Amino acid sequence: MSRPLHRGVSGEQRRFSIGSHGSCDSDDSQMKDKTVKEDDYGSRSLSDNGYITQPFRLLSSDNVSLKLGVNENGFASPRSRHKLALALLKTSLVLIVIIALIVSFWWTISITSSSRGHIYHTYRRLQEQLVLDLTAISDLSQGPSKMAELDFCSEEFENFVPCYNVSESHVYDRHCERSLKQDCLISPPQRYKIPLRWPTGRDVIWAANVKISAQEVLSSGSLTKRMMMLDDEQISFRSDSMTSDSIEDYSHQVAEMIGLRSSSNFVQSGVRNILDIECGFGTFGAHLFKNQLLTMCVAPYEASGSQVQLTLERGLPAMIASFSTYQLPFPSLSYDMVHCARCAIDWDLKDGLYLVEVDRVLRPSGYFVWTSPITNARNKANQKKWNLIHSSAENLCWELLSQQDETVVWKKTAKRSCYFSRKSGTIPAVCSKGQDIESPYYRPLQTCIAGTHSRRWLPIEERSTWPSRAKLNEKELRPHGLHAGDLVDDSAVWKSAIRDYWSLLSPIIFSDHPKRPGDEDPSPPFNMLRNVLDMNARFGGFNAALVDTGKSVWVMNAVSTSGSNYLPLILDRGFVGVLHDWCEAFPTYPRTYDLVHADGLLTLENSRQRRCTTFDILIEIDRVLRPEGWVIFRDTVSLIESTRPLIARLRWESRVIDLDTNNDEKLLVCQKPFFKKHAK
């Protein structure tokens, strides 16, 4: 067998082998002496001599015969012929290496920038594939148990919310660092039914789908909680009732206190985004939705009778959050109105600390609407509370617009100069630039006035009204470092994607039939989905495209803490969203979203060292997804292929869809089956 040839040998190593006799370096005189000795002693067999080792160099014509050992007859000896062959072989190898280096050099400098990018991209693909192959080998080595389907959790986990189900007291604050790791699938209650489609589902929900007792319904004291009735199977909400004390009358009253003719004029006054604190069961937001107002309900975690769970079940925006310890995961200057109807927050405590947080999220010229018996106090204790709250509002430069019955409306100042014209030593002080963080993530409540350093300080009267707000003008885009063309291009991409997505939301993609849904197939109805979670929202383009195409959905735009923070932009466009770390549980109850969309999330979460795995994120998606709900992943081919085996462990149906416009990306479309429990 021939010995393999090695290219690129360095100068110090280019020597011939001498076998077992060692090695030496000889000069020309030594060679001459050795040749004379060979003539004197006569011929010897080659087995008695080793190969000569000396640095390789080109041979001159003067001594070539001596060097090659030519005998008297003019013929080279066998030993000399062997040396000649080795010399020629060595020369050939050197020439090949030199030519290869020259060609490689010219090829390298001739590569264009686009070619370099393609080569780098291909190299990354090879790296990713290597990692996937090694992962697959590791999984196989661990046996069948590694890829086994997850079991279902016990019945006590039906309404499990990580980060909140860990309190030993009745006050459930957020503690994600102590959260139990979930390694099972949460199953729906035994009598669970698929929610009714919008808008019917706004006013009627299945009682078995939520955890609430008849007593909790009857004992509800909130204005909005009183607008509901409970029978054996359903809970109905009278959000459009025209009876006395209805939500219709209440919303008209608030509009008149602001100076408007009716609640239908909220949009013209610059109101679009409303934060409803402890919203009851979302009746205020449900009523305003028809007036193109988007209301986000926030309330603390409740083990039973949850305001957030029932609001989401109705198809309305909601999430778990409270004012007790941390700032809300929203940017400063994000809402046009903050509403609190008989909420359980003591605004007079801690020198008005909770009002300071309201001021932070409220836009300039925004409104704070508060309904409480304290505003119309008749006893000394409540009068003292009211005086403290009124004084705190004045210190925040709020203007008291009106007070009727139990409802009072304040308006936040439009001028930053107001804060600096107050008396010296007035509390709260204005935050320094270092304290004024635009998008805090569960940061402790601050005792200073925030948002004054933001470039987004713009009174709501000067902002575009809805629906023009979704596109934003140049003045509104400037603080985000974007131009109108950026949103136009992004919108065009997502409108095309929505058309493709919507046609795929059909069980036909999981059948054995090879064809995909086409133009001849009926498209799913516009109201097939209601609650949508976008896990990597970027500019909010997916949300904008759903609105433009007339889908009856609302989108929770989650902005990952791992990527660029465009949440201020999303809220300025008139959408709702939240900052979130996907290694933590999303602040919601199980079975709350019809569609989860993840574009580029796998790439984003795998681009840095994380404290969780992709499978941990998938289990969390399964928790928040409703039975028969959909998941759409859009990512690189390698990541899609590596995720599909994990999907099988969740018992989802899945199919990989090729994209015509991008060969390096694929879609992974999944549907969560409805596993019904059988009566014991």
Side-chain angles (χ1 to χ4, degrees):
M1 180 181 296
S2 62
R3 180 179 299 174
L5 301 177
H6 299 278
R7 300 194 309 177
V9 181
S10 62
E12 287 104 5
Q13 295 173 329
R14 288 181 295 195
R15 304 179 187 276
F16 295 109
S17 174
I18 194 172
S20 60
H21 293 280
S23 62
C24 63
D25 293 324
S26 310
D27 57 15
D28 291 346
S29 61
Q30 289 174 320
M31 286 297 301
K32 290 179 181 179
D33 294 339
K34 190 166 184 65
T35 305
V36 172
K37 289 180 181 179
E38 286 176 355
D39 292 337
D40 293 338
Y41 293 130
S43 301
R44 293 186 180 180
S45 103
L46 289 175
S47 61
D48 295 335
N49 297 283
Y51 299 113
I52 296 175
T53 303
Q54 69 176 36
F56 176 77
R57 61 177 179 266
L58 296 178
L59 304 176
S60 65
S61 58
D62 297 332
N63 60 1
V64 67
S65 61
L66 183 61
K67 295 279 183 177
L68 296 179
V70 180
N71 59 22
E72 294 176 354
N73 297 325
F75 297 101
S77 65
R79 175 176 170 278
S80 300
R81 286 198 299 272
H82 186 72
K83 288 174 57 182
L84 177 61
L86 288 175
L88 292 175
L89 179 61
K90 200 73 171 183
T91 304
S92 301
L93 288 174
V94 171
L95 291 174
I96 291 172
V97 170
I98 293 173
I99 293 172
L101 289 174
I102 293 173
V103 172
S104 175
F105 173 75
W106 283 107
W107 176 76
T108 301
I109 64 175
S110 65
I111 295 177
T112 62
S113 59
S114 60
S115 299
R116 291 191 185 112
H118 177 72
I119 293 170
Y120 175 74
H121 185 67
T122 304
Y123 174 68
R124 287 293 303 273
R125 287 281 303 278
L126 290 174
Q127 279 187 319
E128 291 176 358
Q129 189 59 48
L130 176 60
V131 172
L132 294 177
D133 292 342
L134 292 175
T135 302
I137 294 171
S138 175
D139 292 340
L140 291 173
S141 67
Q142 297 185 45
S145 62
K146 174 70 175 178
M147 302 305 293
E149 293 181 344
L150 289 185
D151 293 329
F152 290 103
C153 303
S154 59
E155 187 174 332
E156 63 184 13
F157 281 84
E158 285 180 357
N159 296 284
F160 177 66
V161 182
C163 301
Y164 294 93
N165 282 83
V166 294
S167 177
E168 297 177 356
S169 65
H170 294 292
V171 180
Y172 294 95
D173 208 347
R174 184 177 181 275
H175 297 287
C176 281
E177 66 277 1
R178 291 162 47 194
S179 176
L180 298 175
K181 187 174 181 180
Q182 178 191 335
D183 57 356
C184 56
L185 302 178
I186 294 178
S187 56
Q190 183 176 317
R191 297 172 56 198
Y192 182 87
K193 294 183 181 180
I194 301 300
L196 301 171
R197 287 183 179 172
W198 182 271
T200 304
R202 175 192 61 194
D203 299 321
V204 179
I205 65 173
W206 300 109
N209 289 10
V210 295
K211 188 176 181 180
I212 188 171
S213 65
Q215 182 61 32
E216 286 172 324
V217 174
L218 296 174
S219 63
S220 300
S222 169
L223 169 67
T224 51
K225 287 183 181 180
R226 294 202 304 267
M227 307 295 165
M228 59 190 295
M229 294 185 298
L230 174 68
D231 61 25
D232 290 339
E233 288 193 342
Q234 295 179 336
I235 300 175
S236 58
F237 301 85
R238 297 172 290 175
S239 60
D240 291 324
S241 172
M242 295 302 294
T243 60
S244 61
D245 196 29
S246 70
I247 199 68
E248 178 83 16
D249 295 333
Y250 176 73
S251 60
H252 279 314
Q253 178 188 0
V254 172
E256 289 174 355
M257 294 173 71
I258 290 175
L260 307 175
R261 294 183 59 185
S262 68
S263 58
S264 60
N265 299 117
F266 275 128
V267 169
Q268 285 72 26
S269 68
V271 176
R272 160 66 180 174
N273 294 46
I274 299 175
L275 181 65
D276 198 358
I277 302 170
E278 297 190 11
C279 61
F281 297 133
T283 304
F284 185 62
H287 171 72
L288 295 179
F289 189 83
K290 66 179 183 180
N291 294 327
Q292 297 184 316
L293 300 176
L294 194 58
T295 303
M296 166 65 78
C297 167
V298 294
Y301 170 81
E302 297 166 286
S304 180
S306 168
Q307 304 170 68
V308 170
Q309 188 180 40
L310 268 78
T311 301
L312 285 163
E313 190 67 21
R314 299 182 64 186
L316 300 166
M319 61 173 282
I320 300 171
S322 71
F323 281 81
S324 59
T325 308
Y326 303 107
Q327 290 182 318
L328 298 173
F330 306 126
S332 302
L333 317 180
S334 296
Y335 289 94
D336 307 306
M337 178 185 289
V338 176
H339 174 255
C340 168
R342 296 193 179 182
C343 58
I345 296 178
D346 296 318
W347 299 108
D348 58 304
L349 297 182
K350 300 182 179 180
D351 295 324
L353 179 64
Y354 304 136
L355 290 176
V356 174
E357 177 63 4
V358 170
D359 183 84
R360 184 186 70 83
V361 300
L362 202 56
R363 290 192 174 109
S365 299
Y367 304 99
F368 178 52
V369 181
W370 181 39
T371 299
S372 170
I374 296 177
T375 64
N376 197 17
R378 297 218 189 316
N379 60 63
K380 290 184 178 180
N382 283 344
Q383 285 179 352
K384 182 179 180 181
K385 291 181 179 180
W386 165 247
N387 291 333
L388 288 172
I389 295 170
H390 186 270
S391 176
S392 296
E394 285 185 339
N395 291 339
L396 290 169
C397 287
W398 291 1
E399 177 189 358
L400 180 60
L401 290 184
S402 180
Q403 183 176 357
Q404 294 183 17
D405 302 324
E406 294 184 349
T407 302
V408 60
V409 177
W410 281 284
K411 184 174 183 178
K412 179 176 176 176
T413 182
K415 299 179 180 179
R416 282 182 271 206
S417 58
C418 177
Y419 300 118
F420 303 98
S421 62
R422 299 175 303 166
K423 292 181 180 180
S424 177
T426 301
I427 298 175
V430 176
C431 293
S432 65
K433 197 167 185 179
Q435 292 175 302
D436 198 352
I437 298 176
E438 185 170 56
S439 296
Y441 184 68
Y442 296 105
R443 183 172 173 237
L445 288 170
Q446 301 295 298
T447 58
C448 56
I449 299 173
T452 59
H453 298 278
S454 175
R455 296 175 60 197
R456 295 169 50 243
W457 184 282
L458 187 67
I460 61 175
E461 298 92 344
E462 299 179 22
R463 290 184 175 272
S464 303
T465 57
W466 183 263
S468 299
R469 183 180 289 191
K471 298 177 175 58
L472 297 182
N473 57 42
E474 288 290 345
K475 181 180 180 181
E476 294 164 332
L477 282 171
R478 198 173 300 123
H480 304 286
L482 298 174
H483 300 284
D486 297 326
L487 293 190
V488 171
D489 295 342
D490 187 61
S491 178
V493 170
W494 283 113
K495 282 183 181 179
S496 175
I498 291 297
R499 286 193 294 269
D500 293 336
Y501 286 0
W502 212 256
S503 66
L504 293 173
L505 302 183
S506 167
I508 194 173
I509 70 168
F510 302 131
S511 67
D512 294 331
H513 200 284
K515 82 181 238 357
R516 287 173 53 183
D519 295 335
E520 70 278 9
D521 298 299
S523 179
F526 74 99
N527 63 345
M528 176 185 178
L529 307 173
R530 178 57 187 168
N531 298 0
V532 177
L533 172 62
D534 193 357
M535 298 179 69
N536 189 26
R538 295 192 179 93
F539 295 167
F542 182 63
N543 190 160
L546 287 169
V547 171
D548 290 342
T549 53
K551 311 304 181 191
S552 65
V553 304
W554 70 272
V555 181
M556 176 65 85
N557 295 280
V559 174
S560 175
T561 56
S562 300
S564 300
N565 181 17
Y566 286 108
L567 185 57
L569 170 68
I570 290 170
L571 287 161
D572 284 354
R573 297 184 71 179
F575 306 140
V576 295
V578 64
L579 198 63
H580 187 65
D581 180 351
W582 284 112
C583 282
E584 299 175 356
F586 197 70
T588 190
Y589 290 81
R591 304 174 301 277
T592 50
Y593 287 96
D594 303 301
L595 170 67
V596 175
H597 178 243
D599 174 42
L601 180 75
L602 301 176
T603 296
L604 179 64
E605 296 299 327
N606 282 277
S607 63
R608 61 188 65 192
Q609 181 125 15
R610 305 289 288 164
R611 65 182 191 276
C612 65
T613 65
T614 299
F615 193 56
D616 293 329
I617 298 175
L618 294 178
I619 293 176
E620 176 61 9
I621 295 175
D622 182 86
R623 185 184 71 86
V624 305
L625 189 65
R626 285 173 172 167
E628 297 188 3
W630 297 85
V631 185
I632 300 177
F633 294 97
R634 180 170 182 158
D635 228 298
T636 60
V637 174
S638 56
L639 288 173
I640 289 294
E641 294 296 340
S642 65
T643 302
R644 193 173 186 183
L646 302 177
I647 296 297
R649 298 189 63 193
L650 301 175
R651 305 169 186 254
W652 295 353
E653 299 286 346
S654 66
R655 185 166 182 178
V656 176
I657 307 293
D658 292 322
L659 294 173
D660 298 332
T661 57
N662 193 331
N663 294 327
D664 188 46
E665 288 187 339
K666 285 188 178 182
L667 292 180
L668 178 58
V669 183
C670 314
Q671 187 176 32
K672 177 181 177 178
F674 184 5
F675 295 103
K676 295 184 178 181
K677 284 186 178 180
H678 299 287
K680 295 181 181 179

